[in-house]
Amino acid sequence: MVDRRTFLKGVSALGALGVSPAWAASAAAEAAEAPAADKLPELSGDLTVYLGRGEGGLYGQVVEAIRDRNPALSLEIRRGSSSGLANTLVAESEHGGARADLFWSIDASSLGHVVNEGLARPVPAVLHEPLPEAFRFEAFAPVSGRVRSIAYNPERVRAGDLPERIMDLPDTGLTVGWAPSYGAFQSFLTAMRLLEGDAATRAWLQGIQGRARSYAGELGAVMAAAQGEVDVALANHYYTLRLKEGQPDTSLELAFTRGDAGSLINTSGVTLLSQGSTPVDLVRYLQSREVQSFLAEEAYEIPLAGGVETPAGVPALERLEPPELDLTRLGDVQPTLALMREAGVL
Amino acid sequence: MSYRLVLLYGLSALIAAAVLLPVGVLLALGLGSEVALGAQALEIALNTLLLTVLTTTAATLIGAPLALLTTYTDLPRRPLWTGLLAAPLAVPSYLGAFAYFAATGPGGEIQGLTGLPVPSVDGLAGATLVLTLYTYPFVLLSTRAGLRNLDASTLDAARTLGMPLGTALLRVVLPRVKNSLAAGALLVALYTLSDFGTPAIMRLDTFTRAIFVEYNAFGLDRAALLSVGLLGLVAVVLLLEWVVGSTRERPGRTPRLHLGRGGAAAALLAVGLLLLASLGMPLGVFTLGVLREGTGGFDPAMLLRSASVSGLAAAAAVLLALPVAYTATRGRLGRLLERGTYVGFGVPGIVLGTALVLVGLRLDFLYQSIALLAFGYVVRFLPLAVGNIRAPLERTEQGLVSAARSLGASPGEAFRRVTLPLILPGLLAAGALVFLEVMRELPATLLLRPSGFETLATHLWAVYEAGYFGRAAVPALLLVGVSGVAVALMLRRERSHDDALI
């Protein structure tokens, strides 16, 4: 639920950015209840799943649990980096067709790449129903969400000094930890490019670059913010939560911008690569109450299916104000890299 | 040329061609694209070059004395220390780099535990430190193989004539193992050129980082073209090592140096500190993770898979390296073929893996099979075997073989009874190196393995990527433990070889 004040504040911040003010209100309202796993049809036959990045084996555990529950299903799982599997699928399609029935990827850009290459089958309505309107894409079905965030150490930076809009970050004078070579960061920049245009994105990069430290991954950037190497870190929300799980005394908080790329909700998701009802039914398991809760509790991911409670600590969907964007478009990374190179960030 | 030699040349050419095949695919992929390297290209090339030179120098300065210590001296429990000193080769360098990243600097683990401020380990210095810690065993193992083949009499003569030990080692022993030393240094240089994880975590801009970024952004052709640029540097390194000549001599009794109590204590202290830095640091950081997060699930079958596929690849690499190494000692053409097999080690694993995926897709029966995976390992790690076998072969006196032949031994018997015992230490070192490298190899494994084939390295990667260090501790410990034991077992065979010679 969104209280009226937050909602209005959101509306005023959205301006003319192509963000639907109805987003926040519609987020939870239109999604159908997530199905319970034991109400779903039993799966059978052969199925190959390409599983992009493992979240510490948690996605693997989900698939294993589905395998255990469906003894008639012969399930083969191939794990790899999301982009590596996307590259592999495209190569396979050029040599006789993709060898997988499903591609479950940690990030939308890899899904977008596979979609752009024409490999994806349309998502049927049954997979749209449990999702909020904003996540009903034609070519892939989101499973769980992760939101871009500003991680900061409250002992060093006051919450009031953080920008409400990501485009204002260069003007704050804060030092920034980021991971330019990391996929999640590039997706965020791609979103900025699509929402604000190339010139504004380039200016934003140049505005921050002098006060930025680069890290290999976003966990590194978040650790740097906790240790005081930088004032803030730009990262997916769960890195902060996982760091604090291991080190509860760490002084680190999350802040979210409003209605822009800074609060983009990216998702893990599935593209269907072959025909038939079994792949679709397997995705329904991923949308089930049980799987959604498991991913939220164990990996701090944001549950997307309707009626699933968000655990304490994980930012709830209805409290966020993400921009409206078809995540499939995040597969177009090359122009983003070109921009980053121009700005001297890569 | 004898019929046999022609056959050997043909075989070597075939092996070299097979190993170069994926590089050819890579060239075809890369040259079809247009990449404008930005203004940073020069900086990237300079960083890559500096890192390579510094790491190679440091690894040689650490590896060579350790080889001496573990080959000639009466260090207590020598085989154990040798195994442990080689074990860092099984630690994926990205894990080592991450451990240093997490442990040092303001607010790092060390400061958290002790309260002592520790400077951050990063940049060029940090990357050099970490890569040195995880590559010096290349020099250690190949130099050991060379040292074991030397006869003690020259060293004894020099000492008898009054030359101090240090000078004698430098002027009498060193020149005779310089090709073994160079072979190890070459591997360090190529590993450094192709490693991605360490420069990335240490925030140093190198060729591999640029390649990785392109690969992840679905710019396969650009990644390939950048790799072709990297191959230029690889060629330079290969040329440099070519220049190092070799000497031939009759092998004999291994020299024995007595350390004495003080010497042994000092040596053990140095070895202990090195092991603390290379093995203790990552294991310590991950153990802290266990204490905080618990160990999580772990499937012991992964260990078996890792060890068996590593063993398979090591055996295949040693077998294929034999003809290549042999022809390399017989002339320029052979030497050229041998150089060809080194190229795969200088190409980053993801790029090579991608090229092999394309090869596999054309030969459908190979795609995502253990055979293709093992072939990938051979392509990448054949030089580890070739270098360690060529060096002792070069020193093997042809006169011994001729004598055996004139006494009526068939070529096969001469090889089995004369050459093989002489090069056995080299073969064992070769097998050990390939085994260790395959244990920790990740990027090509992810791309080439059969679906569902989880190994220790792929599991480590999955939990590390997700930020669960606790869950990385057990597999990391197993990786190091199994590798250390495997190397100790392989090197134990050296002793029987000793006895046979004396």
Side-chain angles (χ1 to χ4, degrees):
Chain A
M1 289 301 292
V2 182
D3 70 62
R4 193 182 136 74
R5 219 175 55 191
T6 321
F7 181 62
L8 287 178
K9 209 171 165 190
V11 172
S12 64
L14 295 175
L17 288 160
V19 179
S20 154
W23 199 98
S26 74
E30 289 174 25
E33 286 276 303
D38 53 13
K39 295 274 166 26
L40 290 171
E42 181 144 344
L43 304 170
S44 63
D46 295 330
L47 208 60
T48 302
V49 176
Y50 279 12
L51 185 53
R53 256 203 297 207
E55 293 306 308
L58 287 175
Y59 285 21
Q61 281 180 35
V62 168
V63 183
E64 300 285 346
I66 294 173
R67 175 151 58 189
D68 290 347
R69 189 186 271 267
N70 297 280
L73 179 72
S74 163
L75 186 61
E76 207 163 80
I77 304 158
R78 180 173 192 80
R79 289 194 219 180
S81 73
S82 292
S83 51
L85 289 174
N87 283 329
T88 302
L89 281 169
V90 171
E92 287 177 353
S93 77
E94 286 161 6
H95 294 85
R99 312 292 170 96
D101 301 296
L102 284 174
F103 178 29
W104 183 9
S105 162
I106 194 175
D107 78 327
S109 70
S110 292
L111 295 169
H113 180 59
V114 169
V115 170
N116 291 342
E117 296 289 323
L119 273 70
R121 301 194 162 270
V123 175
V126 65
L127 298 182
H128 280 154
E129 281 157 14
L131 296 173
E133 180 77 39
F135 291 110
R136 293 177 184 174
F137 307 125
E138 264 175 56
F140 83 90
V143 172
S144 58
R146 58 282 312 275
V147 61
R148 296 299 300 173
S149 66
I150 298 178
Y152 67 102
N153 181 341
E155 289 166 12
R156 295 172 41 88
V157 179
R158 287 187 308 138
D161 295 338
L162 298 172
E164 284 221 336
R165 302 258 308 114
I166 196 70
M167 300 315 280
D168 295 337
L169 183 59
D171 304 329
T172 59
L174 295 167
T175 58
V176 176
W178 64 19
S181 50
Y182 208 56
F185 182 83
Q186 289 167 5
S187 286
F188 150 70
L189 269 192
T190 305
M192 185 186 285
R193 193 170 57 78
L194 294 171
L195 293 167
E196 319 277 346
D198 285 6
T201 305
R202 192 184 301 114
W204 184 85
L205 283 170
Q206 286 163 342
I208 291 181
Q209 207 204 344
R211 288 190 303 277
R213 266 171 86 87
S214 298
Y215 296 87
E218 296 198 329
L219 184 66
V222 166
M223 285 168 72
Q227 294 173 1
E229 274 180 30
V230 291
D231 295 327
V232 298
L234 301 178
N236 280 350
H237 76 277
Y238 48 68
Y239 288 110
T240 296
L241 302 183
R242 287 179 203 166
L243 187 72
K244 288 179 76 169
E245 177 192 18
Q247 304 170 33
D249 307 336
T250 305
S251 185
L252 203 60
E253 295 296 334
L254 286 174
F256 305 96
T257 61
R258 294 170 185 281
D260 58 24
S263 55
L264 173 76
I265 296 183
N266 201 338
T267 70
S268 75
V270 182
T271 48
L272 301 165
L273 302 167
S274 70
Q275 277 178 316
S277 62
T278 315
V280 175
D281 287 339
L282 187 123
V283 180
R284 295 183 69 195
Y285 274 88
L286 302 183
Q287 294 177 337
S288 71
R289 177 177 296 280
E290 289 83 353
V291 171
Q292 294 278 311
S293 303
F294 175 80
L295 290 178
E297 276 157 23
E298 299 292 324
Y300 303 115
E301 302 208 41
I302 302 170
L304 296 179
V308 178
E309 206 156 310
T310 310
V314 177
L317 206 50
E318 54 272 17
R319 305 200 70 84
L320 297 169
E321 294 170 38
E324 191 173 83
L325 187 73
D326 181 347
L327 298 179
T328 316
R329 295 175 69 194
L330 298 180
D332 197 16
V333 194
Q334 282 293 336
T336 308
L337 293 197
L339 256 182
M340 292 171 79
R341 262 186 234 107
E342 275 174 49
V345 173
L346 254 189
Chain B
M1 235 193 263
S2 76
Y3 162 72
R4 256 169 226 288
L5 203 56
V6 172
L7 199 72
L8 271 178
Y9 265 108
L11 199 57
S12 299
L14 207 65
I15 294 168
V19 169
L20 283 172
L21 172 71
V23 180
V25 174
L26 187 68
L27 284 174
L29 202 64
L31 298 180
S33 81
E34 40 195 83
V35 182
L37 281 177
Q40 281 186 311
L42 199 68
E43 192 193 328
I44 288 177
L46 191 69
N47 282 342
T48 308
L49 214 60
L50 272 175
L51 180 65
T52 307
V53 170
L54 288 175
T55 304
T56 309
T57 310
T60 307
L61 289 178
I62 293 177
L66 284 178
L68 209 60
L69 185 73
T70 57
T71 317
Y72 288 170
T73 69
D74 54 356
L75 186 74
R77 296 186 183 279
R78 222 164 29 125
L80 172 76
W81 293 117
T82 312
L84 279 173
L85 282 168
L89 268 197
V91 179
S93 53
Y94 70 88
L95 286 185
F98 186 81
Y100 275 88
F101 177 78
T104 64
E109 299 283 10
I110 295 179
Q111 192 177 25
L113 287 176
T114 64
L116 298 172
V118 184
S120 293
V121 170
D122 65 356
L124 182 61
T128 303
L129 171 75
V130 171
L131 276 168
T132 302
L133 286 176
Y134 298 102
T135 57
Y136 77 82
F138 285 133
V139 179
L140 166 69
L141 289 177
S142 63
T143 311
R144 272 176 57 84
L147 285 173
R148 294 193 61 81
N149 266 330
L150 294 188
D151 187 3
S153 51
T154 330
L155 180 62
D156 292 345
R159 298 290 320 274
T160 314
L161 293 170
M163 199 183 261
L165 180 61
T167 319
L169 288 174
L170 273 181
R171 293 184 44 194
V172 178
V173 174
L174 187 66
R176 292 191 290 162
V177 290
K178 68 180 178 204
N179 65 339
S180 296
L181 204 64
L186 171 68
L187 298 179
V188 175
L190 292 181
Y191 185 92
T192 307
L193 283 176
S194 67
D195 184 55
F196 164 72
T198 309
I201 293 171
M202 291 291 148
R203 304 187 298 116
L204 183 70
D205 229 351
T206 57
F207 256 114
T208 44
R209 202 188 68 98
I211 290 169
F212 197 67
V213 166
E214 289 298 342
Y215 177 85
N216 279 335
F218 319 114
L220 273 190
D221 46 352
R222 288 161 159 270
L225 188 60
L226 281 166
S227 308
V228 174
L230 182 61
L231 281 178
L233 288 181
V234 170
V236 171
V237 172
L238 287 174
L239 207 67
L240 281 178
E241 199 248 356
W242 178 293
V243 181
V244 178
S246 65
T247 50
R248 282 164 194 253
E249 68 179 82
R250 193 166 279 139
R253 183 173 57 84
T254 308
R256 276 276 162 268
L257 304 175
H258 297 286
L259 285 173
R261 266 214 182 153
L268 285 178
L269 183 69
V271 167
L273 284 176
L274 184 62
L275 290 176
L276 196 66
S278 56
L279 300 180
M281 185 63 117
L283 294 180
V285 166
F286 292 124
T287 304
L288 284 177
V290 172
L291 297 178
R292 288 183 192 130
E293 304 157 23
T295 54
F298 173 75
D299 175 10
M302 285 188 273
L303 179 62
L304 199 66
R305 272 187 221 118
S306 280
S308 51
V309 77
S310 301
L312 177 73
V318 169
L319 212 61
L320 291 174
L322 262 172
V324 177
Y326 184 75
T327 45
T329 63
R330 302 307 298 252
R332 287 198 159 261
L333 177 63
R335 200 76 203 274
L336 197 68
L337 289 175
E338 184 229 5
R339 298 285 92 175
T341 65
Y342 271 73
V343 173
F345 195 51
V347 181
I350 35 165
V351 184
L352 201 72
T354 303
L356 278 168
V357 163
L358 296 176
V359 172
L361 281 167
R362 276 173 206 280
L363 304 167
D364 201 48
F365 62 98
L366 276 180
Y367 189 59
Q368 294 185 356
S369 67
I370 294 276
L372 187 66
L373 180 64
F375 177 60
Y377 290 142
V378 170
V379 168
R380 209 153 145 54
F381 301 133
L382 189 61
L384 301 178
V386 171
N388 274 291
I389 296 171
R390 181 191 36 127
L393 265 179
E394 271 175 349
R395 282 187 313 271
T396 303
E397 182 68 41
Q398 272 307 302
L400 284 177
V401 179
S402 307
R405 295 275 282 126
S406 66
L407 289 172
S410 69
E413 191 184 0
F415 175 79
R416 210 174 55 246
R417 294 184 57 189
V418 178
T419 312
L420 192 62
L422 290 176
I423 61 170
L424 193 63
L427 290 183
L428 293 173
L433 269 182
V434 176
F435 183 89
L436 292 179
E437 276 304 305
V438 175
M439 286 292 280
R440 75 171 162 182
E441 208 288 335
L442 177 70
T445 309
L446 283 177
L447 287 170
L448 298 175
R449 64 186 167 152
S451 293
F453 191 83
E454 291 294 336
T455 65
L456 279 181
T458 63
H459 178 74
L460 263 177
W461 161 80
V463 293
Y464 161 77
E465 273 287 330
Y468 292 104
F469 309 125
R471 293 175 201 175
V474 174
L477 196 65
L478 279 172
L479 197 60
V480 171
V482 169
S483 307
V485 169
V487 172
L489 281 179
M490 284 185 246
L491 297 180
R492 228 173 52 146
R493 298 267 339 248
E494 283 178 351
R495 216 183 277 166
S496 52
H497 161 68
D498 258 0
D499 302 340
L501 267 182
I502 294 167

